[in-house]
Amino acid sequence: ADKANKLYIKNLSSDTEEFFTIYINSEELGRLYAGDWMFIPWSAEDSGADVKVAPSVARSMKLEYILVHE
C-alpha cells in the first residue's frame, strides 16, 4: 500500500472515435483516445480506491494494462 506502485494503461484502438474514460474513486481522471497511454503513480491504501474504465462505444474495445508494485 505505501510503496512505489505504478499503473500503466493503453487504449489499443486505432479508431479516433473510441476512447476510454478513466476513473479513480468515482472521480474522472481523464480520457485515453486511440493509441494514448498513461503511466501514473498508484497508492492503493484504500480498498475502495478502484480504477474503473468506461468505453465510449458499445462495441468491443481493447485495453492494455500493467500494475507494477513493490
Side-chain angles (χ1 to χ4, degrees):
D2 194 22
K3 305 286 182 171
N5 305 315
K6 304 288 188 273
L7 179 62
Y8 163 84
I9 304 174
K10 182 177 182 180
N11 181 350
L12 298 178
S13 178
S14 59
D15 185 336
T16 57
E17 293 182 11
E18 295 182 345
F19 62 86
F20 288 99
T21 305
I22 311 298
Y23 298 91
I24 296 179
N25 276 345
S26 300
E27 183 174 330
E28 185 175 327
L29 184 61
R31 293 180 177 178
L32 288 179
Y33 290 90
D36 284 351
W37 57 275
M38 62 188 289
F39 191 70
I40 60 170
W42 175 249
S43 178
E45 294 175 7
D46 179 5
S47 63
D50 291 332
V51 175
K52 295 181 181 175
V53 295
S56 62
V57 294
R59 60 186 175 266
S60 178
M61 292 177 59
K62 291 187 180 182
L63 178 77
E64 180 176 77
Y65 67 94
I66 300 170
L67 175 60
V68 181
H69 62 90
E70 289 189 73

